[in-house]
Amino acid sequence: MSDEFYIKRCLELAAIAIGNVNPNPMVGCVIVANGKIIGEGFHHKYGEAHAEPNAIKSVLEKYGDEAENLLKQATAYVNLEPCAHFGKTPPCADLFVKYQLKKVVIGNRDPFSGVDGKGIEKLKNAGIEVLSGILDDECKYFNRRFFTRIQKQRPYIILKWAETANGYFATTDGHQKWISGALAKRLAHQWRTEEDAILIGKQTAVIDNPQLTSREWPGKNPVRLVIDKNLQVPQSNNIYNKEAKTIIFNEIKTDVVDNIHYIQMEDMHFYLAQKIAFQLYLMDIQSVIIEGGASILKQFLEANLWDEARVFASANSWNQGIPAPVVNGDITAQIIIGNDKLSIYINK
């Protein structure tokens, strides 16, 4: 099997933990000896063991007394450079050195300053052969949330909305009217389990009274983020229930009441998108879905603060309404979801 084959297997393993390891990257590890996979592991949850010790542990448990000799003949594959620093867990590079692996093959070099080549250097200094840059672009895209946070000091930003066949986004009279269908809604709930947070503005909170949970898909709820400058959303609104941590960006106060966190900002009418993006970075929120309304989406689009847009287009048309945002990006996929068409845009 080729190096690319085993790195792809690392990505398959790592993807099992999507949404559970942030702000860490998703990492998988495969250990091969004599042309056979002898151990596998992935990073399950933030604060717990990384992929490499989980893979080594699987070899030790499976092969017992033979394990150490097998590891000395083995090649470890990992989609991201093994860490070389003490964080919540010991350095993974040290573990490969301890068991004297023959070779380590890496997808991406880690952009985090605490690693960034130091893991590779530690392995080479111990006499371990190192090959890096295998499926480099594919591995970077896989961990695009992590790379964005480290390199751009902001979260990975996903814009999401639904529009009618003739381009309307919401009603003009302010009442709620569904555009996309049940399958689109279920998919959107799956997405919520995969990202750290979900953001809406005051108007959406008042008109739609959304729960912003992932109740139609198994997994965690995202952190709910609401822009409510003057704290006008009623306390009876669903965002104030106890189903998820909720952060209210406002100009009135900073306070914590149970699961509701109020964060005061100054001059929210200036550079709001930039302020929120930086605040989320400081809070270690690695990715966010922005679901509107139109004004909030427009501000992030105009500030060019977005990475991906997921747009559902209904087969139905309205006679009138508020025009949907206009996104200029490269379409990377178009998928039929029930009666809706989903278009995925990437900001290049």
Side-chain angles (χ1 to χ4, degrees):
M1 297 295 182
S2 66
D3 290 339
E4 288 81 3
F5 173 87
Y6 292 119
I7 291 295
K8 284 184 177 180
R9 177 58 183 160
C10 291
L11 297 179
E12 288 176 356
L13 291 166
I16 296 170
I18 187 168
N20 293 321
V21 299
N22 301 350
N24 283 353
M26 296 178 287
V27 182
C29 179
V30 176
I31 300 176
V32 178
N34 304 317
K36 177 184 175 183
I37 293 177
I38 61 170
E40 294 184 331
F42 63 95
H43 184 28
H44 291 241
K45 188 177 180 181
Y46 177 69
E48 295 182 359
H50 289 183
E52 297 91 334
N54 285 334
I56 292 285
K57 181 182 177 184
S58 74
V59 177
L60 297 174
E61 289 177 346
K62 185 174 182 180
Y63 291 96
D65 294 340
E66 299 177 55
E68 293 199 15
N69 283 331
L70 278 172
L71 287 168
K72 289 177 183 177
Q73 306 166 44
T75 297
Y77 292 85
V78 62
N79 59 290
L80 190 71
E81 177 182 2
C83 60
H85 66 297
F86 281 89
K88 290 186 177 293
T89 60
C92 295
D94 288 358
L95 197 61
F96 287 160
V97 172
K98 175 184 175 181
Y99 286 101
Q100 302 173 47
L101 271 72
K102 183 178 179 181
K103 184 177 179 180
V104 176
V105 178
I106 297 166
N108 292 143
R109 183 163 161 157
D110 193 327
F112 176 59
S113 59
V115 187
D116 196 14
K118 297 180 180 69
I120 292 172
E121 183 181 9
K122 185 173 282 192
L123 295 172
K124 287 182 175 180
N125 288 343
I128 297 173
E129 182 184 353
V130 179
L131 180 63
S132 63
I134 305 301
L135 295 180
D136 189 66
D137 289 342
E138 188 172 333
C139 290
K140 280 179 182 171
Y141 182 74
F142 177 77
N143 268 318
R144 57 196 181 278
R145 299 162 181 84
F146 173 73
F147 275 82
T148 298
R149 185 177 69 89
I150 297 298
Q151 295 176 333
K152 296 184 178 181
Q153 287 79 56
R154 64 166 177 82
Y156 187 83
I157 298 172
I158 301 166
L159 309 180
K160 179 256 173 185
W161 70 85
E163 60 186 48
T164 64
N166 55 342
Y168 290 125
F169 171 83
T171 61
T172 52
D173 60 5
H175 77 272
Q176 185 185 33
K177 187 176 180 180
W178 280 98
I179 296 176
S180 54
L183 284 177
K185 181 180 179 182
R186 186 166 169 79
L187 177 58
H189 283 221
Q190 179 188 343
W191 291 341
R192 290 176 182 181
T193 69
E194 298 171 351
E195 312 304 337
D196 284 353
I198 182 168
L199 172 70
I200 61 170
K202 179 199 72 177
Q203 288 296 106
T204 300
V206 171
I207 294 169
D208 294 347
N209 192 17
Q211 297 181 57
L212 303 184
T213 61
S214 54
R215 59 198 176 277
E216 294 196 16
W217 193 266
K220 67 173 182 61
N221 290 324
V223 176
R224 300 180 295 199
L225 310 171
V226 182
I227 300 169
D228 186 9
K229 180 180 175 181
N230 296 312
L231 297 180
Q232 293 174 306
V233 177
Q235 293 280 322
S236 58
N237 191 283
N238 286 325
I239 61 162
Y240 282 102
N241 66 30
K242 296 184 182 297
E243 292 184 20
K245 178 180 178 179
T246 302
I247 296 171
I248 313 289
F249 295 111
N250 69 94
E251 287 190 352
I252 309 294
K253 66 178 180 178
T254 294
D255 195 10
V256 178
V257 182
D258 296 324
N259 63 311
I260 310 299
H261 296 239
Y262 298 91
I263 294 182
Q264 185 178 14
M265 288 184 166
E266 293 182 356
D267 300 324
M268 291 179 69
H269 50 291
F270 291 121
Y271 303 108
L272 180 61
Q274 292 89 334
K275 289 175 180 176
I276 288 175
F278 186 62
Q279 181 65 47
L280 296 181
Y281 168 73
L282 294 177
M283 296 165 63
D284 270 344
I285 288 178
Q286 187 159 260
S287 61
V288 58
I289 300 174
I290 300 177
E291 287 205 0
S295 173
I296 300 302
L297 289 164
K298 183 180 178 182
Q299 288 184 65
F300 277 85
L301 284 165
E302 289 181 347
N304 200 31
L305 273 175
W306 67 281
D307 299 287
E308 192 174 327
R310 301 173 183 178
V311 182
F312 289 105
S314 169
N316 299 321
S317 295
W318 291 354
N319 293 328
Q320 61 180 353
I322 296 172
V326 176
V327 58
N328 293 312
D330 293 342
I331 295 179
T332 60
Q334 289 189 311
I335 309 160
I336 300 301
I337 309 291
N339 294 322
D340 304 307
K341 182 173 75 173
L342 169 65
S343 297
I344 308 289
Y345 298 83
I346 296 294
N347 186 359
K348 295 280 183 154

